[in-house]
Amino acid sequence: MKSRADLLSFLDAHGVAHSTLDHPPVFRVEEGLEIKAALPGGHTKNLFLKDAKGQLWLISALGETAIDLKRLHTVIGSARLSFGSAELMAQTLGVTPGSVTAFGLINDTTHRVRFVLDADLAKADPVNFHPLANDATTAVSQEGLRRFLAALEITPMIVDFAAMRVVQ
């Protein structure tokens, strides 16, 4: 599994400008409000899910976005969804609970995880994610996020969670 240093080197190698702020560990969206206040842009919540057929999903949304998990499967075309186990999270994304991040996709070399991006987060600039651990926050531009995903050959499914529909 790749480390924070590996991730930052990957961003550098692909021309993705980034800045990282170290801070005490943050486990939930509601924590670290003072940290978020000091960082411009979209702050994220990330959900690692598994559907009833075994497909893995990573949802990245703005922290304040309401996500109806009971209806989401009908929108994204999955079987019913539940949270993925910590073991599966570590195996596929190389992260632990509380550290789920879109940057974890760097460790999903077999593309087991389908990535869903909140339409509102897709408009935020910059965007802030944990760099594989919850004791820091790394900001990249929206273009930088797209460049990161393209380098991993990942095309996100973009969902408008307010309208509960796929927009891209």
Side-chain angles (χ1 to χ4, degrees):
M1 289 291 154
K2 294 190 173 26
S3 67
R4 171 180 163 175
D6 296 328
L7 169 66
L8 299 180
S9 293
F10 182 88
L11 295 175
D12 289 340
H14 289 88
V16 177
H18 56 89
S19 62
T20 299
L21 174 69
D22 291 304
H23 52 70
V26 176
F27 292 92
R28 298 178 11 175
V29 172
E30 300 81 21
E31 295 179 60
L33 295 177
E34 66 284 348
I35 296 166
K36 292 173 187 166
L39 296 169
H43 295 276
T44 60
K45 66 177 168 189
N46 299 274
L47 306 175
F48 179 70
L49 306 170
K50 180 179 180 182
D51 74 20
K53 293 183 180 179
Q55 175 63 55
L56 303 178
W57 298 85
L58 175 62
I59 314 293
S60 289
L62 284 175
E64 59 271 13
T65 300
I67 300 174
D68 184 348
L69 289 178
K70 291 181 180 176
R71 288 184 44 217
L72 183 59
H73 70 283
T74 63
V75 175
I76 63 175
S78 73
R80 288 211 173 264
L81 296 160
S82 61
F83 286 97
S85 69
E87 295 77 22
L88 198 51
M89 183 187 304
Q91 290 170 6
T92 56
L93 298 178
V95 297
T96 58
S99 297
V100 180
T101 171
F103 289 142
L105 292 166
I106 195 171
N107 287 313
D108 181 28
T109 57
T110 59
H111 295 275
R112 288 182 63 193
V113 179
R114 295 196 59 198
F115 183 52
V116 176
L117 183 63
D118 173 17
D120 289 333
L121 183 61
K123 297 173 192 163
D125 201 18
V127 291
N128 297 281
F129 293 97
H130 292 308
L132 306 178
N134 64 355
D135 60 355
T137 299
T138 296
V140 297
S141 68
Q142 191 59 233
E143 177 188 341
L145 174 62
R146 300 307 174 108
R147 190 174 292 171
F148 168 76
L149 294 171
L152 297 174
E153 300 179 348
I154 294 171
T155 301
M157 177 188 301
I158 301 177
V159 172
D160 178 337
F161 287 105
M164 287 301 279
R165 66 182 178 88
V166 175
V167 294
Q168 181 181 356

